[in-house]
């Protein structure tokens, strides 16, 4: 009888330990349960993380007041032809997607249902109202780099039992996913944003088969876009804007690599892999030029658009913050210490713009292998 009770006790302990382990490693696409646990612990101990948390909660509370602004038909004109029209057309989807994302994240960090309910309200309004997203001009790119906030939010809320997700899932599958493929199938930074949006979508939908295929596509993008010396030929062709576009390509590409790590435990940052070597070589090229723009050998004229990490227009601060945690031995973070906490993804005077590596000071990536 003693041995039977002892065996049962051991079995219960194993089950409890396993449950804790798998809970800690549960993936929410670009986040993990382990990261949420770490945030909750660190804001009790670290003043900088607490400051980042307070900043984040203030944003979330402001978005509790937001009224969703969905459109029946979404079309975004090309920014280099109609800059003001582009900004106006993208404003509602960008703000609504960003709001739903922040609110979903606030729920995960606080367990307060008021945040979840408001995020769901925005998601439901868009999935009910929006019938078509154009495949023309800048629309697929904006759907990918801004609209992805809707999918981030839904992924964070996928286990919220009070939400009937059927309408939203149908919208994702029939309206959102087909459009972002037009970005995914390009060869420059559009592919990176489309790839990130696709990975995030398959993660949310729980489609493991398509996720695995998209992981292979991510690997293909890394090798085709970045040469052995870290040069991104599609982006350096932008000349005066080549530094900014290199950042704009690396931000989603590295965010995709981290999502893949969370979902599959495949570490594309590993320097023993071809992908890891290429990613780090490209980032180092950019980082060295942030330290000293004269190191940017691809374009040397005086009109080179240089990084600006002041205020919210802090490119490439969010990317550097993230990579400083992925490669902590490199001491990348010395460039950004004075700018923390970093929001990420902003354009000055326009608010949120692109959703990769947002809130990296509050929720830095955790790589365990």
């Amino acid at each position: 009888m003693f041995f039977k009770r002892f065996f049962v006790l051991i079995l219960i302990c194993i089950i409890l330990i396993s449950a804790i382990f798998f809970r800690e490693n549960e993936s929410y696409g670009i986040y993990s349960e382990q990261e949420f646990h770490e945030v909750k612990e660190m804001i009790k101990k670290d003043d900088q993380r607490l400051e980042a948390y307070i900043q984040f909660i203030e944003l979330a509370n402001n978005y509790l007041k937001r009224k969703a602004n969905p459109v029946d038909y979404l079309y975004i004109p090309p920014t280099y032809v109609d800059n003001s029209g582009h900004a106006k057309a993208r404003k509602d989807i960008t703000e609504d997607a960003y709001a739903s994302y922040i609110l979903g994240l606030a729920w995960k960090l606080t367990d307060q249902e008021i945040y979840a309910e408001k995020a769901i309200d925005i998601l439901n309004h868009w999935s009910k109202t929006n019938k078509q997203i154009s495949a023309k001009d800048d629309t697929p790119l904006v759907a990918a780099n801004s609209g992805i906030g809707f999918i981030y939010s839904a992924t964070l809320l996928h286990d919220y039992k009070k939400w009937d997700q059927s309408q939203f899932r149908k919208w994702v599958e029939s309206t959102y996913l087909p459009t972002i493929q037009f970005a995914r199938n390009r060869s420059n930074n559009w592919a990176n944003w489309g790839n990130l949006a696709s990975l995030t979508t398959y993660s949310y939908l729980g489609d493991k088969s398509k996720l695995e295929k998209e992981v292979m596509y991510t690997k293909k993008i890394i090798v085709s876009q970045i040469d052995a010396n870290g040069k991104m030929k599609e982006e350096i062709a932008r000349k005066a804007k080549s530094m900014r576009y290199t950042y704009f390509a690396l931000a989603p590409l590295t965010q995709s690599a981290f999502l893949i790590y969370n979902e599959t435990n495949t570490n594309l940052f590993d320097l023993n892999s071809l992908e890891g070597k290429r990613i780090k070589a490209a980032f180092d090229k950019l980082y060295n030029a942030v330290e000293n723009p004269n190191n940017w050998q691809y374009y040397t004229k005086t009109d080179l658009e240089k990084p600006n990490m002041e205020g919210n227009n802090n490119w490439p601060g969010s990317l550097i913050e993230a990579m400083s945690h992925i490669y902590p031995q490199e001491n990348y973070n010395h460039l950004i210490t004075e700018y923390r906490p970093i929001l990420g993804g902003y354009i000055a005077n326009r608010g949120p713009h692109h959703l990769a590596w947002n809130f990296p000071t509050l929720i830095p990536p955790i790589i365990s292998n």
Side-chain angles (χ1 to χ4, degrees), residues 37-52:
H37 176 75
E38 195 241 13
V39 169
K40 292 173 184 178
E41 290 300 311
M42 289 303 296
I43 60 176
K44 301 173 187 176
K45 307 172 184 178
D46 186 303
D47 289 343
Q48 196 169 72
R49 296 288 285 277
L50 177 59
E51 182 185 355

Side-chain angles (χ1 to χ4, degrees), residues 142-291:
V142 172
N145 68 29
S146 295
I148 194 173
F150 292 135
I151 317 301
Y152 288 159
S153 180
T155 303
L156 292 162
L157 292 160
H158 82 265
D159 53 1
Y160 187 74
K161 294 181 172 31
K162 295 182 181 180
W163 182 28
D164 178 359
Q165 301 177 43
S166 55
Q167 176 181 276
F168 182 77
R169 287 176 67 91
K170 183 178 179 181
W171 175 80
V172 170
E173 292 174 322
S174 63
T175 305
Y176 180 76
L177 190 56
T179 296
I180 62 175
Q181 300 308 301
F182 287 92
R184 175 196 180 273
N185 295 331
R186 295 276 291 270
S187 60
N188 62 357
N189 65 80
W190 284 49
N192 304 11
W193 287 108
N195 173 235
L196 175 59
S198 297
L199 286 165
T200 305
T201 300
Y202 297 138
S203 170
Y204 165 64
L205 295 174
D207 194 327
K208 293 183 179 180
S209 176
K210 289 184 179 178
L211 180 69
E212 289 174 1
K213 291 179 181 178
E214 199 64 26
V215 170
M216 298 304 295
Y217 188 65
T218 308
K219 294 179 178 180
K220 179 182 176 182
I221 289 174
I222 293 169
V223 176
S224 64
Q225 286 191 355
I226 307 171
D227 73 12
N229 296 314
K231 181 169 69 175
M232 302 187 76
K233 61 180 181 180
E234 291 270 5
E235 309 313 325
I236 65 172
R238 303 277 189 158
K239 297 183 178 179
K241 298 180 183 295
S242 55
M243 276 189 74
R244 179 160 64 89
Y245 273 100
T246 295
Y247 153 73
F248 197 59
L250 280 175
L253 191 58
T254 50
Q255 184 77 88
S256 290
F258 187 63
L259 180 150
I260 289 166
Y261 174 78
N262 282 341
E263 290 286 330
T264 71
N265 207 37
T266 299
N267 186 1
L268 297 182
F269 297 107
D270 186 351
L271 295 179
N272 292 315
S273 70
L274 175 60
E275 293 83 11
K277 291 175 182 175
R278 296 284 177 96
I279 287 173
K280 190 168 185 301
F283 176 73
D284 282 342
K285 287 281 188 184
L286 179 64
Y287 181 82
N288 290 335
V290 175
E291 283 194 301

